[in-house]
Amino acid sequence: MRPVNRWMVPGAVAVVILAAATVPHAFASTPDPSLPTVTAADLIAGVRTASVGALSGTLQLNSALGLPSLPDRLAGATSGGAALLTGTHTMKLWVDGPDRQRLALLDDMAETDLVHSGTDLWTYDSSTNTATHRVLPAPDGSGDGGSAPADLTPQAAAARLLSNLDPTTAVAVAGTGRVAGRPTYRLTLTPRTTDTLIRSVRIDVDAADHIPLRVQVFGAGSAPAWSLGFTYVSLTTPAAAEFRFTAPPGATVTQSTGRGGSGDTTDPASGGSSGDSSTDGAADSSAKPQTIGSGWGTVVEFPSSDLNPGTTPGGAPGSRHTSMLGWLDSAATVVPEGRLLTTDLFSLLITPDGRAFVGAVPPAVVRSAAAK
C-alpha cells in the first residue's frame, strides 16, 4: 500500500492550482504594520533564500470552491485529500529540517497523521486504528523523497508558485498585514491572461524571516477560494519526540517495502489479514503525470485515477471509495469525454478509462486536452 495514495488525485488538485499559478486568520482590529519599503524582486529573493529550517504551528486550510458538501462518511479527516476539497480544516505541523516532519490533520472525532523521520514515513488513521510504514529511499537529490508532511504548507505552496514565474504574471508588493500575529509583506501574483480561472494569488511573507506564512488564491469572488495559512507559528526547533511514531495497541500495521505492489505486507500480530498489494497493483506506478499547455493554462494529465471505479478495486457497497464516487457523480456533469467537475478555481475531468485531467482552467480546456 502506498502511504500517500489516498492524497494523490484530490491533493494534486491543490498542487496543480499552485503550479499553474483557511479561512484566513483575521486581525481586523489591528492596523497593518508599518514596514520598510521593499521591491517585489527583493522580496522574492528573500523568500528563495530564507533558511528557517525548524518550526511548529497550527495551520488552517479553507476550500470555498463552490463544491457541494461531502457526505458524512467523507467529511472528516479520515478521507485524506478528498476531505480537503471542501470546508475548513485544522492541521498541526512540526518541522526540523528536510528529514523530520510531522503533519496531523484534525477532525472532531478523528486524526490522520503523517510522520516523516529520516527514511521512515508513517501514516496513521485514528478512525480505523490503521497505520502504514514505508521505508523511503535515501535522498538522491531528485526531490522525490516522499516527505508528504512538508508538501502541504504555505512554504511549499509559495515555492511552487514562485518557481513558475514568467512574463504572463504581474508581480507586486501590495501593502503589509499580519498572519499569526507576525508582520508580513503581501506579495501578489496576477495572471496577464484570461486562460485561467485564477484572478490573483496573495502570499503573506514574514517580514523578519521571509518565510511564507499564508497563501490565498482568488477566483471570481472577492474572498479567497482557497487559502492555507498559519494561525499560530513558532520558529523554535520542535522536541525530537514529535517525530517518533509507535503504532497504538491493536493497530493494523502495513509494512510497505516500496511504492506499492507485492512488497506490501500487513503485520499479522497487529490484527491485519492481508496486504494492500491488490489496490496498488491496479495502476501502473511507473506512469507519470504529463503536462499540456504552459503557464496559468497548464493542464496535468494523470494516467490513472483513484476516483475511477475501473482502476481502483475494493469499491464495495458502503466503502469510502464508493461514497467518494457517489459524491463525485452528484457534483460532476456527464460529458462526452467522461465526468466533468467544475469549481471556482479548477476543472477536473475523469475519463471512462481512468485518466484524470486537471488544471486551473475553464472546463473547455480540460475537455479539449482529453479529446486529444
Side-chain angles (χ1 to χ4, degrees):
M1 175 181 177
R2 292 189 297 270
V4 294
N5 189 40
R6 64 200 292 175
W7 301 75
M8 287 184 64
V9 172
V13 168
V15 174
V16 169
I17 291 173
L18 295 169
T22 358
V23 175
H25 193 61
F27 292 86
S29 61
T30 304
D32 291 339
S34 178
L35 299 172
T37 301
V38 64
T39 66
D42 287 342
L43 189 57
I44 291 172
V47 172
R48 287 173 171 166
T49 58
S51 59
V52 177
L55 59 82
S56 60
T58 303
L59 288 162
Q60 193 168 75
L61 168 68
N62 187 65
S63 296
L65 303 174
L67 289 169
S69 298
L70 287 164
D72 291 342
R73 186 175 179 81
L74 298 173
T78 58
S79 299
L84 303 183
L85 290 174
T86 62
T88 300
H89 307 274
T90 300
M91 296 172 283
K92 298 283 189 179
L93 175 70
W94 299 262
V95 176
D96 183 8
D99 294 329
R100 298 204 299 181
Q101 302 114 18
R102 177 182 173 187
L103 181 72
L105 178 59
L106 308 179
D107 185 45
D108 291 339
M109 301 298 293
E111 179 175 323
T112 300
D113 286 277
L114 299 176
V115 184
H116 172 218
S117 180
T119 58
D120 293 313
L121 179 64
W122 284 92
T123 306
Y124 176 69
D125 185 341
S126 69
S127 69
T128 57
N129 199 22
T130 58
T132 298
H133 176 226
R134 176 183 169 194
V135 178
L136 303 174
D140 59 3
S142 67
D144 188 21
S147 55
D151 292 339
L152 195 62
T153 64
Q155 296 95 313
R160 295 186 191 102
L161 287 159
L162 298 179
S163 69
N164 288 284
L165 292 180
D166 60 28
T168 66
T169 305
V171 185
V173 178
T176 64
R178 295 182 191 273
V179 174
R182 298 177 66 91
T184 64
Y185 290 101
R186 289 176 174 167
L187 182 68
T188 61
L189 313 179
T190 306
R192 290 193 176 106
T193 175
T194 58
D195 294 336
T196 178
L197 296 174
I198 295 176
R199 180 169 57 85
S200 66
V201 176
R202 177 188 295 168
I203 304 174
D204 279 275
V205 180
D206 186 89
D209 295 288
H210 287 169
I211 63 171
L213 297 179
R214 183 174 65 194
V215 174
Q216 298 171 302
V217 185
F218 294 81
S222 58
W226 187 90
S227 179
L228 176 65
F230 284 99
T231 57
Y232 165 79
V233 65
S234 169
L235 301 184
T236 59
T237 302
E242 298 291 355
F243 308 101
R244 290 195 289 266
F245 178 83
T246 301
T252 299
V253 179
T254 298
Q255 298 289 340
S256 177
T257 58
R259 294 187 177 276
S262 58
D264 294 349
T265 59
T266 301
D267 183 359
S270 66
S273 58
S274 63
D276 275 8
S277 59
S278 61
T279 297
D280 287 330
D284 181 2
S285 61
S286 65
K288 296 182 178 180
Q290 303 293 321
T291 59
I292 302 166
S294 61
W296 297 91
T298 299
V299 173
V300 178
E301 176 188 352
F302 293 89
S304 62
S305 167
D306 284 346
L307 303 183
N308 187 278
T311 60
T312 304
S319 72
R320 210 175 283 146
H321 175 69
T322 301
S323 298
M324 187 66 209
L325 288 173
W327 174 81
L328 179 61
D329 282 336
S330 69
T333 301
V334 177
V335 294
E337 299 83 6
R339 290 173 293 167
L340 177 66
L341 183 66
T342 304
T343 79
D344 292 346
L345 286 185
F346 69 89
S347 299
L348 168 66
L349 179 70
I350 307 292
T351 62
D353 61 1
R355 292 174 297 152
F357 295 82
V358 61
V361 296
V365 178
V366 291
R367 294 183 62 184
S368 176
K372 294 177 181 178

